[in-house]
Amino acid sequence: MENYGKKNRYNSFRVTTMEQKPTLHSMDISKQNKYVMYLSKRLIDSEGKKPLDITDPRFLTSQTFALSNLPKLGEDREARYNFSFTDEQFQEMLSTPKVIFATSEYRMLPSKNLSNRMNVLHLYMLAPWLKDKELPLIYRMDILTNPDNLNFSGFQMSAIVGGFKDGECVLFGTMSARKDIPALYYYCRSGITKRDIRDGTPHEIEGNPTNLYDIADFVFSHCGVKYYQKYSSSKTKIYDIAKSFRARDEYVIPSEIVQGTTGSEFIHKFFDGREIEDNSQYMRELVSIANGNFGQKDVSNSSNEDNLGQSINSDSALRY
């Protein structure tokens, strides 16, 4: 009787669990205010003028880092740092499997520095299967498109060191400007990650794609972007979210809340058939109280558009 009772209790719990309908996960954080932290507050004097070790213990993502701390936009080029790392560390950052769990979008309007409309889409990812736990856990892919020129696109992959607003470390980028010019891709180099990535050696993508979706397939595959979060969870801390993506810790086996994808599938599913919103009025961030200085940090409206506009044109896809 005891075994039978235990069996029934288990089955009852299982039936209840299986009957619950999972809620689809909403990834868009464009309209949410954020409380961001700055790497600059961890540095001493002029320390930031030289390359920073990307595995410095001071730059580890905090165990208390939450969704509300996730920065929505990258800083301008002058606010970036040069990070150093080994070839092995670079390969792991680039190729470790990643899960998209948040997105932010922005429509740049024409200005004196930008003659065409540009859509900027940010995909935020976690790398739950990192072997080197000192490497960044959070990554971001920026996708730049022009609704007036369907042959134009730019992709940029960055590690967000420590989750800091100014912790962006560009790893990889592609650019395709015209139908008759195949897309090229570029790698960053250790110690000089702040520079324009196109100052490095250009590489041709096999098949010479010019179509946005073909390029997206290449970029997702090359950068280890294999999944997106399909179902909601109650997790709010980044490390808890990353753990929820793993079915088992020792192997790259995803949990049931994530869905496999390719670049073209993801863009088709979430962004085809609609125009990117002008979310400039929502691009507001506050300095986190964790920095010991709680105050407003406004990166919204015209100031943000000007910063982006000064660094992007039809020949500069990798400067955003």
Side-chain angles (χ1 to χ4, degrees):
M1 287 294 294
E2 182 179 357
N3 290 337
Y4 180 78
K6 287 183 178 179
K7 183 178 180 180
N8 277 345
R9 285 198 296 272
Y10 171 76
N11 283 345
S12 176
F13 171 77
R14 183 178 182 185
V15 168
T16 301
T17 301
M18 294 300 290
E19 287 181 346
Q20 293 176 347
K21 294 182 179 180
T23 304
L24 293 177
H25 173 59
S26 176
M27 289 186 287
D28 187 12
I29 62 171
S30 299
K31 300 177 182 179
Q32 300 173 13
N33 288 340
K34 295 295 174 180
Y35 302 89
V36 300
M37 294 173 281
Y38 284 81
L39 181 150
S40 58
K41 295 183 179 295
R42 304 289 176 93
L43 302 179
I44 302 171
D45 298 330
S46 61
E47 187 179 13
K49 294 182 179 180
K50 61 182 180 180
L52 303 173
D53 182 353
I54 204 167
T55 60
D56 188 310
R58 294 174 298 168
F59 308 156
L60 283 175
T61 306
S62 168
Q63 290 288 335
T64 60
F65 192 100
L67 283 171
S68 58
N69 302 127
L70 191 69
K72 288 190 286 190
L73 291 172
E75 287 280 7
D76 58 64
R77 285 173 58 84
E78 297 307 314
R80 294 179 182 171
Y81 296 96
N82 287 316
F83 291 99
S84 62
F85 37 78
T86 66
D87 291 342
E88 291 75 17
Q89 289 170 333
F90 173 75
Q91 288 301 325
E92 180 167 5
M93 285 189 289
L94 195 65
S95 62
T96 186
K98 302 173 184 72
V99 182
I100 302 167
F101 71 103
T103 64
S104 181
E105 60 188 41
Y106 183 67
R107 187 180 73 225
M108 297 170 56
L109 302 179
S111 67
K112 62 180 180 180
N113 301 304
L114 188 66
S115 58
N116 296 314
R117 293 181 297 162
M118 292 288 179
N119 292 333
V120 183
L121 174 65
H122 302 279
L123 311 181
Y124 296 87
M125 294 158 280
L126 294 179
W129 296 281
L130 272 173
K131 296 178 182 178
D132 185 345
K133 304 302 182 183
E134 295 181 328
L135 291 173
L137 174 67
I138 305 170
Y139 295 80
R140 191 185 75 227
M141 181 181 293
D142 305 325
I143 305 176
L144 185 70
T145 60
N146 180 348
D148 301 317
N149 179 4
L150 299 181
N151 296 309
F152 174 87
S153 69
F155 289 79
Q156 186 165 279
M157 182 74 171
S158 303
I160 309 302
V161 180
F164 296 115
K165 174 71 176 182
D166 53 352
E168 179 181 356
C169 175
V170 178
L171 301 175
F172 169 93
T174 73
M175 178 183 170
S176 178
R178 301 207 317 254
K179 184 177 182 180
D180 56 335
I181 301 179
L184 299 174
Y185 70 94
Y186 305 81
Y187 294 121
C188 75
R189 288 179 58 189
S190 174
I192 49 176
T193 58
K194 182 179 176 179
R195 72 174 187 173
D196 185 341
I197 196 171
R198 294 180 305 152
D199 290 341
T201 303
H203 303 273
E204 291 187 3
I205 301 175
E206 186 176 354
N208 297 321
T210 58
N211 179 277
L212 170 69
Y213 303 102
D214 293 336
I215 298 171
D217 282 340
F218 167 78
V219 173
F220 271 50
S221 175
H222 204 69
C223 296
V225 185
K226 296 182 178 295
Y227 310 101
Y228 69 92
Q229 183 178 350
K230 183 175 182 179
Y231 297 115
S232 298
S233 77
S234 59
K235 311 299 182 184
T236 59
K237 298 291 190 295
I238 291 295
Y239 278 98
D240 292 338
I241 295 172
K243 186 176 181 180
S244 74
F245 293 156
R246 302 193 300 259
R248 296 174 64 183
D249 286 340
E250 300 297 325
Y251 305 94
V252 183
I253 302 176
S255 68
E256 294 180 351
I257 71 171
V258 306
Q259 176 75 44
T261 189
T262 64
S264 58
E265 288 173 353
F266 190 83
I267 294 175
H268 274 306
K269 183 176 180 64
F270 293 102
F271 300 100
D272 273 3
R274 71 175 181 84
E275 188 170 343
I276 297 296
E277 288 189 70
D278 175 14
N279 286 321
S280 57
Q281 68 271 33
Y282 301 109
M283 296 298 181
R284 207 168 74 91
E285 296 178 327
L286 307 172
V287 177
S288 170
I289 196 170
N291 284 323
N293 180 20
F294 189 84
Q296 182 170 328
K297 175 69 174 179
D298 191 352
V299 295
S300 65
N301 303 328
S302 60
S303 61
N304 190 58
E305 181 179 329
D306 289 343
N307 284 341
L308 286 168
Q310 289 172 1
S311 60
I312 306 179
N313 54 53
S314 61
D315 297 319
S316 270
L318 303 179
R319 293 179 181 270
Y320 54 91

